[in-house]
Amino acid sequence: MSNTARTLVLERGYEAISVEAICSAAEISRSTFFRYFASKEDAVLTDIEEAAETLRSALSARPGDEPVWTAVHRALEPLVEQYDASPEPARPLAALTATTPALAAYQHEKHSAWRDALRPEICRRIGVDPADHTDPRPTAILAAALACLDAAITAWATTEQTTPISALLRAAMDSTRL
């Protein structure tokens, strides 16, 4: 169903496709659609949710003595390597997400789930009690890293960029040290 939703949205545009159109193309009922997805955005960007656990595992697997910014950068690399390995349909879908307010908002909402998943590991690495929400550093680190990820993917997806996303991510993350 998700592939059907993506295909339709990429072919005809996000606004032109309804949940009913997705159901018709996938030959399913509306109730079946909503058993699997909370919304049209969820059907189009379903992989975002799965990435939280992948990122958490990748960050936890980084060496404990590695600087936190480096560890976060390295944990993001497997995610961007997937884009680099299979640019189609990743590029048009990323471009659509960057230019469609409903999809961008949905992606931003899912990134908050990523922050929640990654925060305990960031706290451990910088010596902050995860229950202590008065220290802004874990949230700031994660917000900055995800902003760098978004900047790299957007630059890659919305231009004729031939530079791999991994290099764009490195440039974006390195720019925070200027």
Side-chain angles (χ1 to χ4, degrees):
M1 279 184 287
S2 186
N3 286 339
T4 301
R6 285 184 192 133
T7 299
L8 289 172
V9 164
L10 289 171
E11 286 175 356
R12 299 183 202 161
Y14 178 79
E15 297 300 332
I17 297 300
S18 64
V19 168
E20 289 74 18
I22 296 168
C23 293
S24 177
E27 299 179 349
I28 59 167
S29 69
R30 187 174 168 83
S31 62
T32 299
F33 177 91
F34 284 110
R35 223 175 289 140
Y36 290 95
F37 305 108
S39 64
K40 180 170 69 167
E41 296 85 4
D42 189 32
V44 174
L45 299 178
T46 190
D47 299 341
I48 290 177
E49 233 170 77
E50 298 166 8
E53 179 56 29
T54 301
L55 290 172
R56 191 201 60 72
S57 294
L59 182 58
S60 295
R62 300 301 310 160
D65 61 346
E66 188 171 52
V68 68
W69 192 245
T70 303
V72 172
H73 179 189
R74 298 291 181 251
L76 290 170
E77 286 178 337
L79 183 67
V80 298
E81 287 170 358
Q82 291 175 0
Y83 284 89
D84 286 336
S86 299
E88 296 301 323
R91 185 184 297 259
L93 185 59
L96 184 68
T97 300
T99 59
T100 304
L103 292 175
Y106 182 80
Q107 181 177 8
H108 181 73
E109 178 185 322
K110 291 303 176 182
H111 280 189
S112 71
W114 291 9
R115 284 190 296 275
D116 292 345
L118 298 173
R119 189 176 187 284
E121 180 61 19
I122 296 296
C123 288
R124 185 188 69 74
R125 287 175 176 275
I126 65 173
V128 171
D129 178 358
D132 178 7
H133 290 275
T134 63
D135 189 329
R137 293 177 300 158
T139 302
I141 291 165
L142 290 165
L146 292 175
C148 289
L149 176 65
D150 285 344
I153 291 172
T154 299
W156 173 78
T158 60
T159 65
E160 295 299 316
Q161 189 65 253
T162 58
T163 305
I165 298 176
S166 53
L168 296 170
L169 177 63
R170 182 171 45 266
M173 294 190 82
D174 286 352
S175 75
T176 65
R177 298 180 186 172
L178 298 176

Coordinates of all heavy atoms in Angstrom, one line a residue, residues 77-152:
E77 N 25.0 8.2 9.2 CA 25.5 7.8 7.9 C 24.8 6.6 7.2 O 24.6 6.7 6.0 CB 27.0 7.5 8.0 CG 27.8 8.8 8.1 CD 29.3 8.6 8.2 OE1 29.8 7.5 8.7 OE2 30.1 9.6 7.9
P78 N 24.5 5.6 8.0 CA 23.8 4.4 7.3 C 22.4 4.9 6.7 O 22.1 4.4 5.6 CB 23.5 3.4 8.4 CG 24.6 3.7 9.4 CD 24.8 5.2 9.4
L79 N 21.8 5.8 7.3 CA 20.5 6.3 6.7 C 20.8 7.0 5.4 O 20.1 6.8 4.4 CB 19.9 7.3 7.8 CG 18.5 7.9 7.4 CD1 17.5 6.8 7.4 CD2 18.2 8.9 8.4
V80 N 21.7 7.9 5.4 CA 22.0 8.6 4.1 C 22.6 7.7 3.0 O 22.4 8.0 1.9 CB 22.8 9.9 4.3 CG1 22.1 10.9 5.2 CG2 24.2 9.6 4.8
E81 N 23.3 6.7 3.5 CA 23.9 5.8 2.5 C 22.8 5.1 1.7 O 22.9 4.7 0.6 CB 24.8 4.8 3.2 CG 26.1 5.5 3.5 CD 27.0 4.6 4.4 OE1 26.6 3.5 4.8 OE2 28.1 5.1 4.8
Q82 N 21.6 4.9 2.4 CA 20.5 4.3 1.7 C 20.0 5.1 0.5 O 19.7 4.7 -0.5 CB 19.3 4.0 2.7 CG 19.6 2.9 3.7 CD 18.5 2.8 4.7 OE1 17.5 3.5 4.6 NE2 18.6 1.9 5.6
Y83 N 20.0 6.4 0.8 CA 19.6 7.4 -0.3 C 20.6 7.3 -1.4 O 20.3 7.3 -2.6 CB 19.5 8.8 0.2 CG 18.3 9.1 1.1 CD1 18.3 8.9 2.4 CD2 17.2 9.7 0.5 CE1 17.2 9.3 3.2 CE2 16.1 10.1 1.2 CZ 16.1 9.8 2.6 OH 15.0 10.2 3.3
D84 N 21.9 7.4 -1.0 CA 23.0 7.4 -2.0 C 22.9 6.1 -2.9 O 23.2 6.1 -4.1 CB 24.3 7.5 -1.4 CG 24.6 8.9 -0.9 OD1 24.0 9.9 -1.4 OD2 25.5 9.1 0.0
A85 N 22.6 4.9 -2.2 CA 22.6 3.7 -2.9 C 21.4 3.5 -3.9 O 21.5 2.9 -4.9 CB 22.6 2.5 -1.9
S86 N 20.3 4.1 -3.5 CA 19.1 4.0 -4.3 C 18.4 5.4 -4.5 O 17.4 5.7 -3.8 CB 18.1 3.1 -3.6 OG 18.6 1.8 -3.5
P87 N 19.0 6.2 -5.3 CA 18.4 7.6 -5.4 C 17.0 7.6 -6.0 O 16.4 8.6 -5.9 CB 19.5 8.3 -6.3 CG 20.3 7.2 -7.0 CD 20.2 6.0 -6.1
E88 N 16.6 6.6 -6.7 CA 15.2 6.6 -7.3 C 14.5 5.5 -6.5 O 14.9 4.4 -6.4 CB 15.3 6.3 -8.8 CG 15.9 7.3 -9.6 CD 15.3 8.7 -9.5 OE1 14.1 8.8 -9.4 OE2 16.1 9.7 -9.5
P89 N 13.3 5.8 -5.9 CA 12.6 7.0 -5.9 C 12.9 8.0 -4.7 O 12.1 8.9 -4.5 CB 11.1 6.5 -5.8 CG 11.3 5.3 -4.9 CD 12.6 4.7 -5.3
A90 N 14.0 7.7 -4.1 CA 14.3 8.5 -2.9 C 14.4 10.0 -3.2 O 13.9 10.9 -2.5 CB 15.6 8.1 -2.2
R91 N 15.1 10.4 -4.3 CA 15.2 11.8 -4.6 C 13.9 12.5 -4.9 O 13.6 13.5 -4.3 CB 16.2 12.0 -5.8 CG 16.5 13.4 -6.1 CD 17.3 13.6 -7.3 NE 18.6 13.0 -7.2 CZ 19.8 13.7 -7.0 NH1 19.7 15.0 -6.8 NH2 20.9 13.1 -6.9
P92 N 13.0 12.0 -5.8 CA 11.8 12.7 -6.0 C 10.9 12.7 -4.7 O 10.2 13.7 -4.5 CB 11.1 11.9 -7.1 CG 11.9 10.7 -7.4 CD 13.2 10.9 -6.7
L93 N 10.9 11.7 -3.9 CA 10.1 11.6 -2.7 C 10.7 12.7 -1.7 O 9.9 13.4 -1.1 CB 10.1 10.2 -2.1 CG 9.2 10.1 -0.9 CD1 7.8 10.4 -1.2 CD2 9.3 8.6 -0.4
A94 N 12.0 12.8 -1.6 CA 12.6 13.7 -0.7 C 12.3 15.2 -1.2 O 12.0 16.1 -0.4 CB 14.1 13.5 -0.6
A95 N 12.3 15.4 -2.5 CA 12.0 16.7 -3.0 C 10.5 17.0 -2.8 O 10.2 18.2 -2.4 CB 12.3 16.7 -4.5
L96 N 9.7 16.1 -2.9 CA 8.2 16.3 -2.7 C 8.0 16.6 -1.2 O 7.3 17.5 -0.8 CB 7.4 15.0 -3.1 CG 5.9 15.2 -2.9 CD1 5.4 16.2 -3.9 CD2 5.3 13.8 -3.1
T97 N 8.7 15.9 -0.3 CA 8.6 16.2 1.1 C 9.1 17.6 1.5 O 8.4 18.3 2.3 CB 9.4 15.1 1.9 OG1 8.9 13.8 1.6 CG2 9.3 15.3 3.4
A98 N 10.2 18.0 0.9 CA 10.7 19.3 1.1 C 9.8 20.4 0.6 O 9.8 21.5 1.2 CB 12.1 19.4 0.5
T99 N 9.0 20.2 -0.4 CA 8.2 21.2 -1.0 C 6.7 21.1 -0.7 O 6.0 21.9 -1.2 CB 8.4 21.2 -2.5 OG1 8.1 20.0 -3.1 CG2 9.9 21.5 -2.9
T100 N 6.3 20.1 0.1 CA 4.9 19.9 0.4 C 4.7 20.1 1.9 O 5.2 19.3 2.7 CB 4.4 18.5 0.0 OG1 4.7 18.3 -1.4 CG2 3.0 18.3 0.3
P101 N 4.0 21.2 2.3 CA 3.9 21.5 3.7 C 3.4 20.4 4.5 O 3.9 20.2 5.6 CB 3.0 22.7 3.7 CG 3.2 23.4 2.4 CD 3.4 22.3 1.4
A102 N 2.4 19.7 4.1 CA 1.8 18.6 4.9 C 2.8 17.5 5.1 O 2.9 16.9 6.2 CB 0.6 18.0 4.2
L103 N 3.6 17.1 4.1 CA 4.6 16.1 4.3 C 5.8 16.6 5.1 O 6.3 15.9 5.9 CB 5.1 15.6 2.9 CG 4.1 14.8 2.1 CD1 4.7 14.5 0.7 CD2 3.7 13.5 2.8
A104 N 6.2 17.9 4.9 CA 7.3 18.4 5.7 C 6.9 18.5 7.2 O 7.7 18.1 8.1 CB 7.6 19.8 5.2
A105 N 5.6 18.8 7.5 CA 5.2 18.8 8.9 C 5.1 17.4 9.5 O 5.5 17.2 10.6 CB 3.8 19.5 8.9
Y106 N 4.7 16.5 8.7 CA 4.7 15.1 9.1 C 6.1 14.6 9.4 O 6.3 14.0 10.4 CB 4.0 14.2 8.1 CG 3.9 12.7 8.5 CD1 2.9 12.3 9.4 CD2 4.8 11.8 8.1 CE1 2.8 11.0 9.8 CE2 4.7 10.5 8.5 CZ 3.7 10.1 9.4 OH 3.6 8.8 9.8
Q107 N 7.0 14.9 8.5 CA 8.4 14.5 8.7 C 8.9 15.2 10.0 O 9.6 14.5 10.8 CB 9.3 14.9 7.5 CG 10.7 14.5 7.7 CD 11.5 14.8 6.5 OE1 11.1 15.5 5.5 NE2 12.8 14.4 6.4
H108 N 8.6 16.4 10.2 CA 9.1 17.1 11.4 C 8.5 16.5 12.7 O 9.2 16.3 13.7 CB 8.7 18.6 11.3 CG 9.1 19.4 12.5 ND1 10.4 19.8 12.7 CD2 8.4 19.9 13.6 CE1 10.5 20.4 13.9 NE2 9.3 20.5 14.4
E109 N 7.3 16.1 12.6 CA 6.6 15.4 13.7 C 7.4 14.0 14.0 O 7.6 13.7 15.2 CB 5.2 15.1 13.4 CG 4.4 14.3 14.5 CD 3.0 14.0 14.0 OE1 2.4 14.8 13.3 OE2 2.5 12.9 14.3
K110 N 7.7 13.3 13.0 CA 8.4 12.0 13.2 C 9.8 12.3 13.7 O 10.4 11.5 14.5 CB 8.4 11.2 11.9 CG 7.1 10.7 11.5 CD 6.5 9.9 12.6 CE 5.1 9.4 12.2 NZ 4.5 8.6 13.3
H111 N 10.4 13.4 13.3 CA 11.8 13.7 13.8 C 11.7 13.9 15.3 O 12.7 13.6 16.0 CB 12.4 14.9 13.1 CG 13.0 14.6 11.8 ND1 13.7 15.5 11.1 CD2 12.9 13.5 11.1 CE1 14.1 14.9 10.0 NE2 13.6 13.7 9.9
S112 N 10.6 14.3 15.9 CA 10.5 14.5 17.3 C 10.5 13.1 18.0 O 11.1 12.9 19.1 CB 9.2 15.2 17.7 OG 8.1 14.5 17.5
A113 N 10.0 12.1 17.3 CA 10.1 10.7 17.8 C 11.6 10.2 17.7 O 12.0 9.5 18.6 CB 9.2 9.8 17.0
W114 N 12.3 10.6 16.7 CA 13.7 10.3 16.6 C 14.4 10.9 17.8 O 15.3 10.3 18.4 CB 14.3 10.8 15.3 CG 13.9 10.1 14.1 CD1 12.9 9.2 13.9 CD2 14.4 10.3 12.7 NE1 12.7 8.8 12.6 CE2 13.7 9.5 11.9 CE3 15.4 11.1 12.2 CZ2 14.0 9.4 10.5 CZ3 15.7 11.0 10.9 CH2 15.0 10.2 10.0
R115 N 14.1 12.2 18.1 CA 14.8 12.9 19.2 C 14.5 12.1 20.5 O 15.4 11.9 21.3 CB 14.4 14.3 19.3 CG 15.0 15.2 18.3 CD 14.7 16.7 18.5 NE 13.4 17.1 18.5 CZ 12.7 17.4 17.3 NH1 13.4 17.4 16.2 NH2 11.4 17.7 17.4
D116 N 13.3 11.7 20.7 CA 12.9 10.9 21.9 C 13.7 9.6 22.0 O 14.1 9.2 23.0 CB 11.4 10.6 21.9 CG 10.6 11.9 22.1 OD1 11.2 12.9 22.5 OD2 9.4 11.8 21.9
A117 N 13.9 8.9 20.8 CA 14.6 7.7 20.8 C 16.1 7.8 21.0 O 16.7 7.0 21.7 CB 14.3 7.0 19.5
L118 N 16.6 8.9 20.6 CA 18.1 9.2 20.7 C 18.5 9.9 21.9 O 19.7 9.8 22.3 CB 18.6 9.9 19.4 CG 18.4 9.3 18.1 CD1 18.7 10.2 16.9 CD2 19.1 8.0 18.0
R119 N 17.6 10.6 22.6 CA 17.9 11.4 23.7 C 18.6 10.7 24.8 O 19.6 11.1 25.4 CB 16.7 12.2 24.2 CG 17.0 13.2 25.3 CD 15.8 14.0 25.7 NE 16.1 15.1 26.6 CZ 16.5 14.9 27.8 NH1 16.5 13.7 28.4 NH2 16.8 15.9 28.6
P120 N 18.1 9.5 25.2 CA 18.8 8.8 26.3 C 20.3 8.5 26.0 O 21.1 8.6 26.9 CB 18.0 7.5 26.5 CG 16.7 7.8 26.0 CD 16.9 8.8 24.8
E121 N 20.6 8.1 24.8 CA 22.0 7.8 24.5 C 22.8 9.1 24.5 O 24.0 9.1 24.9 CB 22.1 7.1 23.1 CG 23.5 6.8 22.7 CD 24.3 5.9 23.6 OE1 23.6 5.2 24.4 OE2 25.5 5.8 23.5
I122 N 22.3 10.2 24.0 CA 23.0 11.5 24.0 C 23.2 11.9 25.5 O 24.3 12.3 25.9 CB 22.2 12.6 23.3 CG1 22.0 12.3 21.8 CG2 22.8 14.0 23.5 CD1 23.3 12.2 21.0
C123 N 22.2 11.7 26.3 CA 22.4 12.0 27.7 C 23.5 11.2 28.4 O 24.3 11.7 29.1 CB 21.0 11.8 28.5 SG 19.8 13.0 28.1
R124 N 23.5 9.9 28.1 CA 24.5 9.1 28.6 C 25.9 9.6 28.2 O 26.8 9.6 29.0 CB 24.3 7.6 28.2 CG 25.3 6.6 28.8 CD 25.2 5.3 28.2 NE 25.7 5.2 26.8 CZ 27.0 5.2 26.4 NH1 27.9 5.4 27.4 NH2 27.3 5.2 25.2
R125 N 26.0 9.9 26.9 CA 27.3 10.3 26.4 C 27.8 11.7 27.0 O 29.0 11.9 27.1 CB 27.3 10.4 24.9 CG 27.2 9.1 24.2 CD 27.1 9.2 22.7 NE 27.1 7.9 22.1 CZ 28.3 7.3 21.8 NH1 29.4 7.9 21.9 NH2 28.2 6.1 21.2
I126 N 26.9 12.5 27.4 CA 27.4 13.8 27.9 C 27.2 13.9 29.4 O 27.4 15.0 30.0 CB 26.7 15.0 27.2 CG1 25.2 15.0 27.4 CG2 27.0 15.0 25.7 CD1 24.5 16.3 26.9
G127 N 26.8 12.8 30.1 CA 26.7 12.8 31.5 C 25.5 13.5 32.1 O 25.6 14.1 33.2
V128 N 24.4 13.4 31.4 CA 23.1 14.1 31.9 C 22.1 13.0 32.2 O 22.0 12.0 31.4 CB 22.6 15.0 30.8 CG1 21.2 15.6 31.1 CG2 23.5 16.2 30.5
D129 N 21.4 13.2 33.3 CA 20.3 12.3 33.6 C 19.2 12.4 32.6 O 18.7 13.5 32.4 CB 19.8 12.6 35.0 CG 18.6 11.8 35.5 OD1 18.2 10.9 34.7 OD2 18.2 12.0 36.6
P130 N 18.8 11.4 31.9 CA 17.7 11.5 30.9 C 16.4 12.0 31.4 O 15.7 12.6 30.7 CB 17.6 10.0 30.4 CG 18.8 9.3 30.8 CD 19.3 10.0 32.0
A131 N 16.2 11.9 32.7 CA 15.0 12.5 33.3 C 15.1 14.0 33.6 O 14.1 14.6 33.8 CB 14.7 11.8 34.7
D132 N 16.3 14.5 33.4 CA 16.5 16.0 33.7 C 16.3 16.7 32.3 O 17.1 16.7 31.5 CB 17.9 16.2 34.2 CG 18.2 17.7 34.4 OD1 17.3 18.5 34.2 OD2 19.4 18.0 34.6
H133 N 15.1 17.3 32.2 CA 14.8 18.1 31.0 C 15.2 19.6 31.2 O 14.8 20.3 30.3 CB 13.4 17.9 30.6 CG 13.1 16.5 30.1 ND1 13.3 16.1 28.8 CD2 12.7 15.4 30.8 CE1 13.0 14.8 28.7 NE2 12.6 14.4 29.9
T134 N 15.9 19.9 32.3 CA 16.3 21.3 32.4 C 17.5 21.6 31.7 O 17.9 22.8 31.4 CB 16.5 21.6 33.9 OG1 17.5 20.8 34.4 CG2 15.2 21.4 34.7
D135 N 18.3 20.6 31.3 CA 19.5 20.8 30.5 C 19.2 20.7 29.0 O 18.7 19.7 28.5 CB 20.5 19.7 30.9 CG 21.9 19.9 30.3 OD1 22.0 20.5 29.2 OD2 22.9 19.5 31.0
P136 N 19.4 21.8 28.3 CA 19.0 21.9 26.9 C 20.0 21.2 26.0 O 19.7 21.0 24.8 CB 19.0 23.4 26.6 CG 20.0 23.9 27.6 CD 19.9 23.1 28.8
R137 N 21.1 20.8 26.4 CA 22.2 20.3 25.5 C 21.7 19.0 24.7 O 21.9 19.0 23.5 CB 23.5 20.0 26.3 CG 24.1 21.3 26.8 CD 25.4 21.0 27.6 NE 25.0 20.2 28.7 CZ 25.9 19.4 29.4 NH1 27.1 19.4 29.0 NH2 25.5 18.7 30.5
P138 N 21.1 18.0 25.4 CA 20.8 16.8 24.5 C 19.8 17.2 23.4 O 19.9 16.8 22.3 CB 20.1 15.9 25.5 CG 20.6 16.3 26.9 CD 20.9 17.8 26.8
T139 N 18.8 18.0 23.7 CA 17.8 18.4 22.7 C 18.5 19.3 21.6 O 18.2 19.1 20.4 CB 16.7 19.2 23.4 OG1 16.1 18.4 24.4 CG2 15.6 19.6 22.4
A140 N 19.4 20.2 22.0 CA 20.1 21.0 21.1 C 20.9 20.2 20.1 O 21.0 20.5 18.9 CB 20.9 22.1 21.8
I141 N 21.6 19.3 20.7 CA 22.5 18.4 19.9 C 21.7 17.7 18.8 O 22.0 17.7 17.6 CB 23.3 17.4 20.7 CG1 24.4 18.2 21.6 CG2 23.9 16.3 19.9 CD1 25.0 17.3 22.7
L142 N 20.6 17.1 19.3 CA 19.7 16.3 18.3 C 19.0 17.2 17.3 O 19.0 16.9 16.1 CB 18.7 15.5 19.1 CG 19.3 14.3 19.9 CD1 18.4 13.8 20.9 CD2 19.8 13.3 18.9
A143 N 18.5 18.4 17.8 CA 17.9 19.3 16.8 C 18.9 19.8 15.8 O 18.5 19.8 14.6 CB 17.3 20.5 17.6
A144 N 20.1 20.1 16.2 CA 21.1 20.5 15.2 C 21.5 19.4 14.2 O 21.6 19.7 13.0 CB 22.3 21.0 16.0
A145 N 21.6 18.2 14.7 CA 22.0 17.1 13.9 C 20.9 16.8 12.9 O 21.2 16.6 11.7 CB 22.3 15.9 14.7
L146 N 19.7 16.8 13.3 CA 18.6 16.5 12.4 C 18.4 17.7 11.4 O 18.0 17.4 10.3 CB 17.3 16.2 13.2 CG 17.3 14.9 13.9 CD1 16.1 14.7 14.8 CD2 17.5 13.7 13.0
A147 N 18.7 18.9 11.8 CA 18.6 20.0 10.9 C 19.7 19.9 9.8 O 19.4 20.2 8.6 CB 18.8 21.4 11.6
C148 N 20.8 19.4 10.2 CA 21.9 19.1 9.2 C 21.5 18.0 8.3 O 21.7 18.1 7.0 CB 23.2 18.7 9.9 SG 24.0 20.1 10.8
L149 N 20.9 17.0 8.8 CA 20.4 15.9 7.9 C 19.3 16.4 6.9 O 19.4 16.2 5.7 CB 19.8 14.8 8.8 CG 19.1 13.6 8.0 CD1 20.1 12.9 7.2 CD2 18.4 12.7 9.0
D150 N 18.4 17.2 7.4 CA 17.4 17.8 6.5 C 18.0 18.7 5.5 O 17.6 18.7 4.3 CB 16.3 18.6 7.3 CG 15.4 17.7 8.1 OD1 15.3 16.5 7.8 OD2 14.7 18.2 9.0
A151 N 19.0 19.5 5.9 CA 19.6 20.4 4.9 C 20.4 19.6 3.8 O 20.3 20.0 2.7 CB 20.6 21.3 5.7
A152 N 21.0 18.6 4.2 CA 21.8 17.7 3.2 C 20.8 17.1 2.3 O 21.0 17.1 1.1 CB 22.6 16.7 4.0

